[in-house]
Amino acid sequence: MTYSTLLSDAIWTPILGGLLVLAVGDRRAGAARWLALLVSLVTFAVTIPLFTGFDTHTAAMQFSERVAWIPALNIFYHLGIDGISLWFILLTSFLTVLVIIGSWRNVQERVAQFMAAFLIMEGMMIGVFCALDAILFYVFWEGMLIPMFLIIGVWGGPRRVYATIKFFLYTFLGSVLMLVALLYLYFHSGDSFSLLAFQKTPLGMTAQILIFLALFLAFAVKIPMWPVHTWLPDAHVEAPTGGSVILAAVMLKMGAYGFLRLSLPIVPDASHRLAWLMVALSLIAIIYVALVAIVQEDMKKLIAYSSVAHMGFVTLGFFMFDGVAIEGGIIQMLSHGFISAAMFFCVGVLYDRMHTRNIKAYGGVVNVMPIFAALMMLFAMGNVGLPGTSGFVGEFMVVLGTYQVSPWAAILAATGLITGASYTLWLFKRVIFGGIAHPEVAGLKDLDGREMFVLGALAASTLLLGLWPAPFLDIVHSSVQHLVTQVSLSKIPV
Amino acid sequence: MWFFDWLRVFPPLAVYLAIPLAPLAGSLVAGFWGWKLREQAHWVPIIGVAVAFYMSLAVLWQVGHGITFYGNVYTWAVLGHLPVSVGFDIDSLTALMLVIVTFVSLCVHLYTVGYMRDDPGYARFFSYIALFTFSMVMLVMSNNFLQLFFGWEAVGLVSYLLIGFWFQRESANIAALKAFIVNRVGDLGFLIGIAAIYHYCGSLDYRTVFTVVPHLAGRMVEILPGHPWSVLTWIALLLFVGAMGKSAQVPLHVWLPESMEGPTPISALIHAATMVTAGIFMVVRMSPIYEQSAAALAVVLIIGAATALSMGLIGLVQNDIKRIIAYSTLSQLGYMTAALGASAFSAAIFHLMTHAFFKALLFLAAGSVIHAMANEQDIRKMGGLRKAMPITYFTFLIGSLALSGMPPFAGFFSKDLIIEAVGRSTLPEAGWAEFMLVAGVFVTALYTFRMFFLVFHGAPRMDAHLHAHLHESPWTITVPLVALGIPAVYAGWAYIGPVGLGHFLDTSLVIAPQWNTIGEIGARWQGIGEFLLQGLLAWPFWLTLSGIAVAAWFYGRRPGLPVALTRVLRPFIWVLENKYGFDAFNRIVLVRGVLQFGRWFWHVGDERLIDGVLVNGTAREIGKAALSWRRIQTGYIYHYAFAMIIGLILLMTYFVVWRG
């Protein structure tokens, strides 16, 4: 493996670029926007070689970088990616471009700060997906909260203070216990913070269970899993469109990624022991939360609850310890990244025009915005999990994999087929179809070029992943196989 | 044949690919450039479907000469170690289905040119029906379960879009939503069935699965602890749940009558001739699985027969011309399903075929009537239309005779074959099923000709203005009627051998020797004449005749009679008018129940318990605790000194008493 700085470039380009955007200042809003777009495009360009140069035949970490950071504590600046991380880095850099284009006009205050927050957050999130040192991981993990906190707190809706505090405390409380677990692992792995070393450290069952629970709290809050999900609807409702998009599309994936990178390989025995809990919570998310989604009256809340239900498939797939189910979970994460982003953009498009998210205020939008309606129909069908869209692939694989282990869990999960169609298409019917119910709707203008570009790019991604998932799965395959082996081997010392 | 010879210059796969891709291209062109093409938007979709029809004929001809195909086009994904592909299985069943689908589709495309001319969504409509043709063709041509499911869901999507085509109508939107969600209930079973197949067979490829299936006989699975089931019964029933959704079998039939909210051409194409028969096709395709399970066959038989009779009865009390035909479709799908249960797969496909012709014909003719009546659909407000609309009248009559099973029209042969096959079935449930099917024959003739006489005969009941403007439809509408009328007449006797008795279809079917009902009939086969003669002496024919006679008497001669009869039969009719309460049950129990649970989970679970008690409750308690504890910090040195001394004493006591 040749030495490369691609990962560092992907992390630091947006962070330094973000600082540069800050320096441009809010007064030169136009310049700040263009610079931010440039930075995000460069970052996206930097992440492309990760894909083209990726070796799908190995589960080993690629593009590794390792430099001593705090030698006294054996902390390294250690980066590297495998097939599990790659797609999420690309997803992050891709979506940040779209968010910057999508927020072009609808944010008018403190433009430079807004754009800079997204760029800095992008760097941090990519950092999480690359970090192989526990402390580095933790720093990025907590660091990315700050820009999101600001995005909701400064550019958010009327109840933003409540939402931000709830968001911050929830996620922060979860993470603190993760730090404790990481410290425990440090002392038991021969004074190393390397995640790869953690994976090889033998651990007794009690220790494993405690570590699992500590990590679980951090990750479950992020995903979010029932019953620690209630911060998400509040955060989404108050967040500006761009914030919602990144929150749903990338940040929720952090928790699921954490399970794959930390929980499963580091404490495999505890993962097996507590799989029943994870499966139960996942199924509750799929059934209970979907029912809650059906009765929502606020579009963003509905999509937020739908996110929780969809993420239930992800965790369900992971804790089947079956290759197909885990790969399905990963694809579901990626697909949800596209579709939830698109759905929040769609709500944003309507909100920019009508300044309300209340479903009752709409009706008959298709009469005045046919192009928008057609695109949103595609995303709605993705959300429903229709074959041909990305939403189908993940759910299908998870159900297939789950049936291998537990037919009943598969049947319960598959009820998501019905509930998902119910809340999504009922929403669509009330908002898009029908005669024009309110005079405000009659004056709506269809998508402009900028919006069309953003939604078009997401539509293309959704269809590509749905019609030809093979290349996506090829990247993931070796790493998941490796993970399945890891998690099947007991680490309890004999 | 010279007509297809030139196709030899192409690789076979190119011909197969053209069948789905030509309509898809038509759909995309009409969809993306429809705003520009406007009233010319029909050209590319029609050409696309015409190409598909021509290629389908070529494929049928090839298959007839022994040229089949089984192979993959591209690998969709590798699941674990299992490659799942998009591919084609071209055999006699596929080829026949292709011809039926593309032929009806082509007729409907042509008809639409006249029927939808003035609709603002003209191009969108063509885009949808061409997309439907693509999806249905993909479903039929599939060589694996994934692609089957793909097509299955795609036709469902187009059906949803077309039922809600007039999106300004609330009722249409609700009907579309209902259709999608009810179908999803079926899909749940279908998907789990596919998962089970993957689990037990390790593959989703038809051939691989069918070679493994016989080895699964005798293998049991405990779905409920303590109740071992045969694995194959389990799989067959799960797949059948999917078929019940798509082919609208009781109790998942509720979406089909409502689907009539869509424009009439799609009622003909999707909700009568093709899409709703996807479930029948699927079960026939899966005959190697179904033939391994008597229990599954029995369920299929009983559900089919029950649907055939019960839905026909509802047809008697409907007054909307399209709804009558819709209930008739449900009933006829029941006949096909019952045939599946009796292992008469070829008879099911035969009836599927004749039904596609005469039912599409009836729907399109009904559309012609509705068109002339300025969108009036209530048959009580029609009457005497035969003079103004001779072509429509004549073709509608052919369709009605075929539907009622009057010899020598197409429906007679296929329906008689089904009834005879069910009669020969050795399943213990076959007696009941046969009774329901035979009774259904009378009901069919009655509701069909009730509609026929009320629409075309008797005194006109519309207002004078409308009556003066009655007119025959333009040629774009009447030509497809005639085109469909021809096979509705001759397809019965012409194809009973190759299709009905399976001489052509045999290669695609697996039939267990103990249930070879069609084989028995075939063994005694003495030609069409004999079959006709036997049919004339059997119950169903006389029931058909009496049904028509009663309808003629009631609605032609003595219009007062049915009114009087209605009064006598009030409770019975009340049950029928309420459709046995399925809709009420769904509305009151299921829909309201789900909403109630959703609200309860939301307000009580999320808001009160999790947020109220756990999240904000914790915050509140911490706040309260902090409020009281902060009083400890008084700022007086002697308070702190006192606390320190107390602490010191406690520590010393601890160390001295317990540790010392």
Side-chain angles (χ1 to χ4, degrees), chain A residues 162 166 170 227 229-230 288 296 305 367 381 384 387 396 403-404 408 414 417 429 434 466-470 477, chain B residues 74-76 80 146 153 157 167-168 170 173 177 184 188 198-199 223 234 598 601-602 605-606 610-611 615-616:
Chain A
Y162 171 75
K166 196 170 176 183
Y170 240 124
H229 64 285
T230 55
Y288 166 115
Q296 294 305 307
Y305 277 111
N367 296 291
M381 284 302 160
V384 167
F396 180 68
Y403 190 94
Q404 311 283 316
W408 273 109
L417 239 62
K429 174 196 160 285
L467 291 172
W468 198 32
H477 197 66
Chain B
Y74 76 92
T75 301
W76 183 75
L146 180 100
E153 294 285 274
L157 166 70
F167 49 73
Q168 295 189 328
E170 180 69 6
N173 293 326
L177 192 64
R184 278 259 143 170
L188 167 78
Y198 171 73
H199 180 60
I223 296 302
W234 171 236
F601 284 151
W602 181 24
D606 269 23
I610 296 175
D611 261 3
V615 180
N616 297 336

Side-chain angles (χ1 to χ4, degrees), chain A residues 170-494:
Chain A
Y170 240 124
T171 47
F172 193 73
L173 270 178
S175 325
V176 167
L177 282 175
M178 172 166 81
L179 186 61
V180 176
L182 295 179
L183 289 175
Y184 180 92
L185 284 163
Y186 170 74
F187 291 118
H188 284 78
S189 63
D191 291 355
S192 163
F193 274 115
S194 162
L195 293 182
L196 302 177
F198 287 177
Q199 296 179 356
K200 297 195 182 83
T201 308
L203 291 164
M205 191 50 120
T206 320
Q208 283 203 28
I209 287 187
L210 288 174
I211 292 171
F212 184 91
L213 290 175
L215 295 176
F216 163 75
L217 210 60
F219 300 150
V221 166
K222 267 287 197 310
I223 286 178
M225 297 178 78
W226 188 90
V228 286
H229 64 285
T230 55
W231 63 272
L232 186 72
D234 286 319
H236 269 309
V237 164
E238 300 308 324
T241 301
S244 281
V245 169
I246 292 293
L247 182 61
V250 186
M251 248 183 212
L252 301 192
K253 310 301 175 297
M254 297 292 171
Y257 177 77
F259 276 118
L260 288 184
R261 181 64 76 230
L262 277 79
S263 301
L264 291 185
I266 294 177
V267 286
D269 303 286
S271 301
H272 279 285
R273 175 67 69 83
L274 292 173
W276 63 270
L277 175 71
M278 300 300 293
V279 171
L281 293 182
S282 306
L283 290 175
I284 292 177
I286 293 170
I287 298 165
Y288 166 115
V289 176
L291 291 177
V292 175
I294 292 179
V295 292
Q296 294 305 307
E297 286 140 18
D298 180 306
M299 289 194 273
K300 264 192 162 178
K301 267 199 172 175
L302 194 153
I303 300 167
Y305 277 111
S306 137
S307 284
V308 180
H310 279 96
M311 290 304 283
F313 276 94
V314 175
T315 44
L316 178 70
F318 288 175
F319 283 84
M320 289 296 146
F321 311 109
D322 171 271
V324 173
I326 293 179
E327 286 181 23
I330 294 172
I331 293 294
Q332 171 82 348
M333 285 160 72
L334 194 56
S335 153
H336 182 258
F338 296 141
I339 293 170
S340 67
M343 291 298 274
F344 279 117
F345 266 124
C346 286
V347 175
V349 164
L350 291 174
Y351 185 79
D352 287 345
R353 289 161 171 71
M354 299 266 293
H355 302 289
T356 172
R357 290 177 314 264
N358 192 340
I359 295 171
K360 287 202 185 93
Y362 291 89
V365 170
V366 63
N367 296 291
V368 282
M369 301 176 72
I371 300 175
F372 170 74
L375 280 166
M376 191 171 167
M377 171 54 80
L378 173 70
F379 300 124
M381 284 302 160
N383 211 36
V384 167
L386 202 82
T389 67
S390 61
F392 168 70
V393 187
E395 286 179 22
F396 180 68
M397 292 177 71
V398 169
V399 169
L400 233 53
T402 302
Y403 190 94
Q404 311 283 316
V405 181
S406 159
W408 273 109
I411 292 171
L412 290 175
T415 57
L417 239 62
I418 305 166
T419 48
S422 309
Y423 59 70
T424 311
L425 296 183
W426 195 32
L427 167 78
F428 197 80
K429 174 196 160 285
R430 287 178 293 170
V431 172
I432 303 290
F433 286 146
I436 292 177
H438 304 278
E440 295 88 3
V441 174
L444 292 182
K445 291 244 167 359
D446 211 336
L447 299 180
D448 61 27
R450 187 177 51 77
E451 291 163 334
M452 202 117 75
F453 175 80
V454 171
L455 291 178
L458 287 168
S461 318
T462 307
L463 285 174
L464 180 67
L465 178 52
L467 291 172
W468 198 32
F472 293 86
L473 284 164
D474 285 348
I475 296 270
V476 178
H477 197 66
S478 303
S479 302
V480 170
Q481 287 307 315
H482 177 62
L483 178 65
V484 170
T485 328
Q486 275 183 319
V487 78
S488 65
L489 299 173
S490 172
K491 281 175 74 179
I492 297 176
V494 276

Side-chain angles (χ1 to χ4, degrees), chain B residues 86 95 113 134 159 191 202 298 361 369 446 463 511 517 520 523 543 545 569 573 611:
Chain B
V86 169
V113 175
F134 161 76
S159 160
L191 185 65
L361 168 62
V369 168
L446 187 57
D463 60 57
I511 297 173
T517 47
E520 285 175 34
L543 286 172
L545 267 191
L569 296 174
I573 286 173
D611 261 3

